[in-house]
């Protein structure tokens, strides 16, 4: 045996043993984040499978189903009102080919009478309430309802107004910053550092890399929420790529990388709550909670509430 291997192999073995030891016992190195709320049931776009997405009627319905939090997206109108909307362009939502930023709040069109549920292709939601709503009105109507607010564009005015509304309604602990992009998240955190925040895509990839390198137990995690798609939904209800071959590859690779009970257990023990989206079938609820996830985001809060009430004993979070 070469001298290098003589010393390297024992060192590597010791590193692996330490990594596994602290992966299973992270609280020996880290104080876990305290939970402000337990997000078992999240309503995607306020429950867009049962009522028209992001309407007050959808929120009322989700609250009636005892949702633990609402998942919302925000945009900014021309006159500076933070409006709850997933899309910048309103054609899909209303049939009007205008951007939210090109209209004053009072000029926003009504939603269509029915909207296809994005993560349940071929299924449509209906509702009597077709009006778009401001984030301020949502906070005023549901002052203590936890919410995840996703910012989709680098718009500092939007970010600062969301941060200000959260402060004004004293919601720092129960409103989550969410964004796919780290550049946006950096500005969100600067605007209101008291709000908890979720992993971005790049930070999520970094997390997975650290896990497989064995370094995760030794690294500080500032995020409090890991909100991630469930890999088994790819090519069924979630199609991240236009090419079916890429979707199949993504499903296989992401399932192998992410669906690890040891990773989810480690995060949970450190107070990082793991939430899978956007799940609309009972088999997916079962898979998510079976992995040890804290919660699920769904378009159908009634279905998830029924699942939790009838089979919740098997999905309890420690």
């Amino acid at each position: 045996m070469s001298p290098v291997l003589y010393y390297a192999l024992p060192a590597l073995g010791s590193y692996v043993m330490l990594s596994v030891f602290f992966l299973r016992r992270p609280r020996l190195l880290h104080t876990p984040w305290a939970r402000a709320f337990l997000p078992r049931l999240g309503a995607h776009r306020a429950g867009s499978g049962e009522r028209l997405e992001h309407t007050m009627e959808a929120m009322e319905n989700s609250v009636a189903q005892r949702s633990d939090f609402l998942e919302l997206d925000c945009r900014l109108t021309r006159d500076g009102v933070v409006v709850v909307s997933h899309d910048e362009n309103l054609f899909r939502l209303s049939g009007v080919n205008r951007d939210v930023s090109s209209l004053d709040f009072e000029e926003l069109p009504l939603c269509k009478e029915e909207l296809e549920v994005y993560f349940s292709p071929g299924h449509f939601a209906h509702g009597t309430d077709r009006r778009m709503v401001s984030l301020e009105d949502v906070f005023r109507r549901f002052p203590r309802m936890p919410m995840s607010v996703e910012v989709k564009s680098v718009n500092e005015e939007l970010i600062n107004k969301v941060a200000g509304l959260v402060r004004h309604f004293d919601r720092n602990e129960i409103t989550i910053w969410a964004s796919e992009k780290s550049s946006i998240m950096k500005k969100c955190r600067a605007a209101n550092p008291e709000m908890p925040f979720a992993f971005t895509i790049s930070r999520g990839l970094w997390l997975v890399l650290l896990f497989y390198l064995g370094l995760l137990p030794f690294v500080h995690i500032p995020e409090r929420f890991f909100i991630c798609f469930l890999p088994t939904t790819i090519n069924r209800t979630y199609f991240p790529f236009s090419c079916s071959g890429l979707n199949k590859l993504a499903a296989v690779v992401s399932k192998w990388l992410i669906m690890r009970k040891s990773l989810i257990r480690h995060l949970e023990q450190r107070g990082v709550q793991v939430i899978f989206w956007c799940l609309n079938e009972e088999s997916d609820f079962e898979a998510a909670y079976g992995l040890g996830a804290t919660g699920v985001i769904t378009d159908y809060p009634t279905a998830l509430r029924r699942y939790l009430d009838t089979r919740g004993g098997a999905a309890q979070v420690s």
Side-chain angles (χ1 to χ4, degrees), residues 78-92:
R78 183 173 57 193
D79 56 343
V81 177
V82 181
V83 64
V84 183
S85 175
H86 178 274
D87 300 355
E88 171 63 18
N89 185 275
L90 295 169
F91 186 76
R92 178 190 67 86

Side-chain angles (χ1 to χ4, degrees), residues 95-219:
V96 177
N97 191 20
R98 295 287 298 274
D99 289 346
V100 171
S101 58
S102 72
L103 298 169
D104 290 346
F105 179 73
E106 295 299 329
E107 297 174 332
L108 292 173
L110 295 176
C111 297
K112 295 177 181 177
E113 293 183 356
E114 68 172 20
L115 291 171
E116 186 172 19
V117 184
Y118 185 83
F119 289 100
S120 290
H123 294 79
F124 293 84
H126 305 82
T128 56
D129 180 8
R130 298 165 56 197
R131 294 168 298 173
M132 299 179 70
V133 297
S134 70
L135 187 63
E136 181 176 359
D137 286 342
V138 173
F139 284 173
R140 183 175 290 110
R141 177 64 187 85
F142 308 102
R144 303 314 303 162
M145 182 68 177
M147 299 179 196
S148 167
V149 177
E150 183 169 355
V151 179
K152 293 185 173 293
S153 60
V154 185
N155 184 324
E156 293 197 27
E157 183 183 1
L158 169 62
I159 291 169
N160 288 328
K161 287 198 170 186
V162 171
L165 285 170
V166 170
R167 287 195 184 96
H168 177 75
F169 286 93
D170 192 23
R171 296 181 50 89
N172 286 329
E173 291 297 316
I174 59 171
T175 310
I176 306 166
W177 280 125
S179 182
E180 293 182 347
K181 299 179 180 179
S182 293
S183 58
I184 297 176
M185 185 59 73
K186 183 178 180 180
K187 294 182 181 296
C188 291
R189 293 180 63 189
N192 190 335
E194 298 177 40
M195 291 169 57
F197 59 100
F199 278 86
T200 61
I201 290 177
S202 61
R203 283 284 299 168
L205 293 173
W206 180 242
L207 172 81
V208 173
L209 178 62
L210 290 175
F211 172 70
Y212 283 102
L213 290 176
L215 294 170
L216 186 58
F218 311 108
V219 176

Side-chain angles (χ1 to χ4, degrees), residues 163-292:
L165 285 170
V166 170
R167 287 195 184 96
H168 177 75
F169 286 93
D170 192 23
R171 296 181 50 89
N172 286 329
E173 291 297 316
I174 59 171
T175 310
I176 306 166
W177 280 125
S179 182
E180 293 182 347
K181 299 179 180 179
S182 293
S183 58
I184 297 176
M185 185 59 73
K186 183 178 180 180
K187 294 182 181 296
C188 291
R189 293 180 63 189
N192 190 335
E194 298 177 40
M195 291 169 57
F197 59 100
F199 278 86
T200 61
I201 290 177
S202 61
R203 283 284 299 168
L205 293 173
W206 180 242
L207 172 81
V208 173
L209 178 62
L210 290 175
F211 172 70
Y212 283 102
L213 290 176
L215 294 170
L216 186 58
F218 311 108
V219 176
H220 172 67
I221 301 176
E223 292 90 349
R224 299 194 191 188
F225 296 89
F226 182 57
I227 302 174
C228 180
F229 66 91
L230 187 70
T232 54
T233 63
I234 296 180
N235 236 27
R236 290 195 297 112
T237 60
Y238 177 43
F239 302 90
F241 305 106
S242 57
C243 174
S244 61
L246 281 177
N247 283 325
K248 291 178 182 178
L249 179 62
V252 172
V253 173
S254 59
K255 180 179 179 180
W256 186 84
L257 289 175
I258 298 172
M259 295 181 69
R260 300 289 178 178
K261 287 186 177 182
S262 55
L263 170 60
I264 295 171
R265 188 182 306 114
H266 178 84
L267 293 174
E268 290 285 344
Q269 288 180 353
R270 292 179 64 170
V272 179
Q273 302 189 80
V274 178
I275 304 170
F276 283 113
W277 63 270
C278 176
L279 313 186
N280 293 333
E281 299 176 11
E282 186 171 310
S283 60
D284 293 324
F285 303 160
E286 192 79 31
Y289 290 118
L291 286 169

